[in-house]
């Protein structure tokens, strides 16, 4: 208890004031200058030069518009010779910060609402009507079972369904691609290249996929999602013409087939019409393609007094670290630490108590 009172009394009734001691030591002096030099290098090199600590910064707010151009040609057993333009393979025509290019498809033509054989799998193959349950359906069904077992082909029977017939068979996927200084003539002739034309906003699909480290032919078969990253890092203390975008590309959908139930990227859409008798029909298309998501990053900075003064103040405060480090080494690590402690600290009694003691004597 007495010890606690002594500590409390020392805390309440004692005051520490700094005392400057000049230590003539090459080791300590050199160490002190080295620490100060490192702190100055950090403040000037990292904080002010690299991180531009003298600037007020803000992040990018953007809106991106996309446009696709070009034609393609196919020659298949179902469609024959067919020319595809932008209205055919860009679906939908406009998206927010995205662009989908159809590169592969499965077409089921002239579907009508009727009854037909379901696609064979382990749940739909049957031998008799007793194997089919009327009214049953599942997540992967194309329609509602009627309870009949019908012929799908010469060797396979499946349960009949009420659906859009003939049902889609997708078991086999067919394998079969602005800156102020930019002028109209340049846009008509340039194609993006990281080395020769890094600021051209016109890209070949194959080049984007290849720059991300993938094969365009492989990706066109089952589809995928590509990210087009646009990075704007602008120093507004310099001329605006130097504020230029940097493009990079990466694939966003997973390619780990063991942990991906449905690899690639696809969706279905239909075109509806009526035949001469008034019956509604449709052509169902399962579209495989590459979805391009445009992702914009970046920040802009401009000189401002407030962050400059804050970082200067922080840098000056850090210089005190050199003194603290040298004090620890001098007072606790060096051979003459007790000698330095005697020079560093001086104990003075209360002046008033000293005068009172002299008068009593």
């Amino acid at each position: 208890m007495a010890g606690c009172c002594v500590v409390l009394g020392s805390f309440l009734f004692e005051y520490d004031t700094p005392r400057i001691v000049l230590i003539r030591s090459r080791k300590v002096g050199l160490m002190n200058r080295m620490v100060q030099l490192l702190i100055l290098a950090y403040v000037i090199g990292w904080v002010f030069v690299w991180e531009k600590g003298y600037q007020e910064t803000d992040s990018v707010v953007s809106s991106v518009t996309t446009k696709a151009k070009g034609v393609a040609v196919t020659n298949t057993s179902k469609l024959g010779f067919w020319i595809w333009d932008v209205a055919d393979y860009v679906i939908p025509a406009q998206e927010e910060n995205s662009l989908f290019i159809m590169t592969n498809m499965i077409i089921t033509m002239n579907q009508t609402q009727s009854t037909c054989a379901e696609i064979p799998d382990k749940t739909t193959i049957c031998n008799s009507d007793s194997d089919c349950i009327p009214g049953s359906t599942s997540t992967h069904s194309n329609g509602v079972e009627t309870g009949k077992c019908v012929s799908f082909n010469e060797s396979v029977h499946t349960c009949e369904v009420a659906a859009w017939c003939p049902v889609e068979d997708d078991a086999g996927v067919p394998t079969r691609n602005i800156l102020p200084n930019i002028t109209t003539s340049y846009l008509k002739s340039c194609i993006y290249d990281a080395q020769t034309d890094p600021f051209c906003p016109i890209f070949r699909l194959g080049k984007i996929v290849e720059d991300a480290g993938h094969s365009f032919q492989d990706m066109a078969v089952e589809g995928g999602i590509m990210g087009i990253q646009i990075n704007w890092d602008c120093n507004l203390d310099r001329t605006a013409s130097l504020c230029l975008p940097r493009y990079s590309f990466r694939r966003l959908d997973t390619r780990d087939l063991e942990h991906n139930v449905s690899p690639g990227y696809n969706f279905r859409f239909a075109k509806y019409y009526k035949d001469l008798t008034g019956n509604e029909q449709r052509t169902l298309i399962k579209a495989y393609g590459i979805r391009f998501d445009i992702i914009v990053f970046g920040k802009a900075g401009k000189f401002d007094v407030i962050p400059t003064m804050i970082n200067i103040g922080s840098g000056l405060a850090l210089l005190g670290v050199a003194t603290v480090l040298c004090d620890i080494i001098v007072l606790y690590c060096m051979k003459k630490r007790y000698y330095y402690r005697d020079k560093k600290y001086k104990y003075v009694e209360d002046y008033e108590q000293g005068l009172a003691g002299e008068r009593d004597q």
Side-chain angles (χ1 to χ4, degrees), residues 283-297:
T283 296
L284 178 65
I285 300 175
K286 183 176 183 180
Y288 294 80
I290 305 174
R291 175 188 173 95
F292 295 91
D293 288 339
I294 296 94
I295 310 168
V296 181
F297 301 93

Side-chain angles (χ1 to χ4, degrees), residues 23 26 66 73 84 110 133 136 143 167 183 198 206 211 221 223 280 306:
I23 300 177
R26 293 181 178 179
T66 60
V73 60
W84 301 80
N110 302 327
I133 304 174
S136 68
V167 295
T183 62
D211 284 354
V221 173
E280 188 174 29
I306 294 178

